[in-house]
Amino acid sequence: MKILRKLAIGAAGGACLLALSTASLWELDRAFPPPLPAELTVSTEVQDRDGQLLRAFATPDGYWRLETRLDQVDKQFIDMLVTYEDKRFWDHEGVDVLALARAAGQFATSGHIVSGGSTLSMQLARLIEPRESRSLGSKIKQMLRAIQIERRLSKREILERYLTLAPYGGNLEGVRAASLAYFGKEPKRLTVSESALLVALPQLPEKRRPDRNLKIAHAARDRVLTRMVSSGLLGEREAARAALDDVAGLRRTLPALAAHAAYAVLPKAVPGQPLQLTIRKSVQEGLEQVARDAATKLGPRLSVAMVLADSRTGDILGEVGSANFFDASRAGWIDMTKIVRSPGSTLKPFIYGLAFEQGLVAQETLIDDSPVDFSGYRPKNFDMGYQGDVSIRQALQLSLNVPAIRVLDAVGPTRLMARFHQAGVSPVLPVNEAPGLAIGLGGVGITLRDLVQLYTGLANGGKTHTLHDGTEPANAERTSATILDGQANWQIIDILSGVKPPEGALQRGIAYKTGTSYGYRDAWSVGFDGRYVLGVWVGRPDAGAVPGLSGYVSAAPILFEAFVRSGLATVPLPGRPPGVISPRREDLPVTLARFGAGSDGLVQATVTEPAPTIIFPPDGARIDLDTNSVDASPLVLKLQGGRAPFRWLANGKPLAGIDRRRTATWQPDGAGYSTLTVIDAAGRAASVKVFVE
């Protein structure tokens, strides 16, 4: 009985001691918790619309530390890491007693460390609370911290924190930063060889850095592969193939795309949450490469800006604010997509669009391209020459200035500006000036981004969308508006789709317009297919003149190249809407045959030249053409006066073609009387009757 009583007392005492010890440990755990912040301090990430990394910003202490989730990392890498570092990771409570015993036995028999006994939880403890020395006390503290960590975090959370904080040499921390820096890709796509190297690096990150100690890194990679074979995770052949892969001895820069947009969105950053833009990474990469290459060809101090948008949504898929953000000689830090500049001739399509809306013109309506004076304003063509009578289609395709101003005078500059405002774009006029005719030739300021927004209407059936890239305030208004009605919009598309591509460019099924500002300061080109709109600006950020700069020569080739390099599939331009016609010139009603604006604002024929007169052959002449011979000569026809172009008729049947010259030839069908008639562009006619022998 005494023995049983003593045993009972001892058991009770032991239980009390155990309870007191447990309670003490609980209190110590609560009093001295591990430094586990709810959110790690990580690099701010700017991602594209699909979550791909566009740009990252270093942490305040200067590290590239990208937050990592398990689903962002190749599963085989995780398996290799756990197998190599802590094969019982999923089973222990923070400390692997068997691994510690094995490490202690190896040290006792060999006199040096053969393998460590640290678990991944212990390594995480060391990462969040660096040890001051490699003493036994520091090791015990790590073990206790590991146990504390295991009580607070799940295995998945422990692993994710390790993958975010593990050192990989220099200021690289975490497997994502290392994978991007050493291999140029996210760790989701690691090869076996790459996984093995990244498993080996954290033990001795500085000594094994491949960019500084390539041979050591190579050997460390091979040791991991050997261990994977012995552990049964890899087959011998697979490991042997992986061992043949070269280890790249370089460190790449982390993705640094869309610099201007990334810095613009940075104030919206929330710790631990990536920022997202509407940009598509593949598109952005293509545009930036085109901009860099183009700027190199263009010469020093010149820059390139581009905006590519989805006309159906207003999403900006790619935007380049300068040829190189860090190039001081080109003022690369200035975002030229948002700087107000003169748009040159790029607004002309909207002038003609309003004229189509109002029924003032058809594509084949003739308009006079000759010197004109609008109360002291005398527009001149870019090449200082004049074409005479041209069609509306030709006037827009050739970007002739005088016809555009004639049309703008009829539709009204105020109405044009009102339509721009309706579409959410506010061009900048000179101080205290009302809209005038000069806005048709670039006498107004506009940004590249706003210009592209206007052109989204052309690509989208006349309906514009407010452009956005994700940098705007959360409450920013996003609107849509009609810039042109569907009929007029299609007429403009049809004309612009016929503009000749720049020399050497592939025909891509796009419609486009170019522009050059006064003084050769800005070159523009804006093009679109059935969905995407791309605008290009070329010039000096300081607005300096660049002799020889022009939209067609300088900006248009960049436009076509950028469309190709964007990787976007071409969307066909919209077809002709139901009920829309493009009549031939001879089928036009008299009110659309020729454009002119009278004092009453009504369209009327404007004739200044004398009526046409046929001077050869004279009326009543008998002409011997030897019509019975197989070698009969044609009759040369000549006229004076009239307005080109001219149409000739013989016996009421039109001769082939319309000629701008005042000479023509006619081959009679046979002998006899014939009536020859000429009709000029103003509809005036002259006739002669001749007898052919």
Side-chain angles (χ1 to χ4, degrees), residues 123 126-127 162 165-174 178 182 197-213 216-217 220 251:
Q123 292 182 46
R126 185 172 71 246
L127 292 172
Y162 173 83
L165 297 173
Y168 281 91
N171 64 344
L172 295 176
E173 289 191 354
Y182 293 132
L197 178 61
L198 294 185
V199 166
L201 284 180
Q203 292 99 46
L204 295 169
E206 293 302 325
K207 186 176 181 179
R208 294 176 178 176
R209 285 178 60 174
D211 60 323
R212 294 190 176 180
N213 302 296
I216 296 176
R251 172 176 166 173

Side-chain angles (χ1 to χ4, degrees), residues 100-110:
L100 288 174
R102 184 198 68 242
Q106 290 172 338
F107 179 77
T109 56
S110 64

Side-chain angles (χ1 to χ4, degrees), residues 48 63 160 187 207 377 425 439 494-495 543 626 642 648:
D48 82 340
Y63 283 89
E160 288 181 336
K207 186 176 181 179
Y377 178 57
V425 173
I439 65 177
D494 190 51
I495 294 173
D626 195 11
W648 287 87

Side-chain angles (χ1 to χ4, degrees), residues 360-429:
L360 301 181
V361 298
Q363 289 197 32
E364 293 303 322
T365 298
L366 292 177
I367 188 168
D368 184 23
D369 177 34
S370 62
V372 65
D373 188 330
F374 293 95
S375 302
Y377 178 57
R378 301 179 180 89
K380 295 180 175 61
N381 287 327
F382 184 76
D383 61 1
M384 304 305 291
Y386 299 94
Q387 301 288 321
D389 280 347
V390 293
S391 67
I392 291 293
R393 181 180 181 88
Q394 291 170 325
L396 180 52
Q397 289 182 341
L398 297 175
S399 196
L400 301 176
N401 290 344
V402 174
I405 298 305
R406 288 184 186 274
V407 176
L408 179 58
D409 186 45
V411 301
T414 301
R415 182 174 294 169
L416 179 66
M417 289 291 287
R419 194 62 63 92
F420 291 159
H421 286 288
Q422 180 178 311
V425 173
S426 299
V428 179
L429 290 166

Side-chain angles (χ1 to χ4, degrees), residues 128-452:
I128 63 176
E129 195 174 27
R131 60 191 178 188
E132 298 177 358
S133 65
R134 297 177 62 88
S135 64
L136 179 61
S138 296
K139 196 73 171 180
I140 293 173
K141 182 179 180 181
Q142 275 182 31
M143 289 188 286
L144 293 174
R145 286 300 197 199
I147 295 171
Q148 288 182 299
I149 290 171
E150 291 269 352
R151 292 187 58 238
R152 289 167 169 81
L153 300 178
S154 67
K155 291 290 187 179
R156 183 184 181 90
E157 291 171 330
I158 291 171
L159 199 50
E160 288 181 336
R161 292 210 174 198
Y162 173 83
L163 293 174
T164 300
L165 297 173
Y168 281 91
N171 64 344
L172 295 176
E173 289 191 354
V175 68
R176 283 187 64 210
S179 182
L180 289 165
Y182 293 132
F183 310 129
K185 60 183 176 182
E186 292 280 356
K188 188 73 173 177
R189 301 185 294 113
L190 292 171
T191 66
V192 172
S193 172
E194 292 165 348
S195 294
L197 178 61
L198 294 185
V199 166
L201 284 180
Q203 292 99 46
L204 295 169
E206 293 302 325
K207 186 176 181 179
R208 294 176 178 176
R209 285 178 60 174
D211 60 323
R212 294 190 176 180
N213 302 296
L214 184 58
K215 290 185 178 179
I216 296 176
H218 200 286
R221 189 271 316 262
D222 290 348
R223 284 195 295 272
V224 173
L225 291 173
T226 301
R227 178 84 68 83
M228 295 303 104
V229 173
S230 63
S231 300
L233 189 63
L234 293 179
E236 291 186 3
R237 290 187 178 181
E238 186 179 11
R241 285 195 299 270
L244 294 175
D245 292 344
D246 290 332
V247 175
L250 58 88
R251 172 176 166 173
R252 299 169 175 83
T253 58
L254 266 63
L257 298 167
H260 297 91
Y263 278 103
V265 78
L266 197 56
K268 297 171 66 175
V270 175
Q273 295 183 18
L275 299 163
Q276 194 162 42
L277 300 174
T278 63
I279 286 170
R280 182 172 294 164
K281 184 177 182 180
S282 59
V283 173
Q284 186 69 25
E285 287 175 329
L287 297 191
E288 290 195 13
Q289 186 60 55
V290 170
R292 285 192 296 269
D293 294 345
T296 301
K297 294 178 182 178
L298 289 166
R301 306 182 72 178
L302 280 165
S303 193
V304 178
M306 285 184 272
V307 173
L308 192 156
D310 185 338
S311 69
R312 300 178 187 176
T313 63
D315 288 353
I316 292 177
L317 303 181
E319 55 184 335
V320 179
S322 65
N324 187 331
F325 184 81
F326 297 104
D327 189 343
S329 69
R330 305 179 197 273
W333 62 87
I334 300 177
D335 185 356
M336 296 305 300
T337 69
K338 299 179 180 178
I339 300 300
V340 174
R341 304 298 283 260
S342 166
S345 297
T346 57
L347 300 181
K348 287 177 181 175
F350 304 100
I351 297 173
Y352 288 103
L354 289 180
F356 277 109
E357 267 191 14
Q358 297 173 36
L360 301 181
V361 298
Q363 289 197 32
E364 293 303 322
T365 298
L366 292 177
I367 188 168
D368 184 23
D369 177 34
S370 62
V372 65
D373 188 330
F374 293 95
S375 302
Y377 178 57
R378 301 179 180 89
K380 295 180 175 61
N381 287 327
F382 184 76
D383 61 1
M384 304 305 291
Y386 299 94
Q387 301 288 321
D389 280 347
V390 293
S391 67
I392 291 293
R393 181 180 181 88
Q394 291 170 325
L396 180 52
Q397 289 182 341
L398 297 175
S399 196
L400 301 176
N401 290 344
V402 174
I405 298 305
R406 288 184 186 274
V407 176
L408 179 58
D409 186 45
V411 301
T414 301
R415 182 174 294 169
L416 179 66
M417 289 291 287
R419 194 62 63 92
F420 291 159
H421 286 288
Q422 180 178 311
V425 173
S426 299
V428 179
L429 290 166
V431 179
N432 298 324
E433 284 196 19
L437 296 178
I439 65 177
L441 304 183
V444 68
I446 196 170
T447 67
L448 175 61
R449 185 163 167 162
D450 281 348
L451 188 61
V452 170

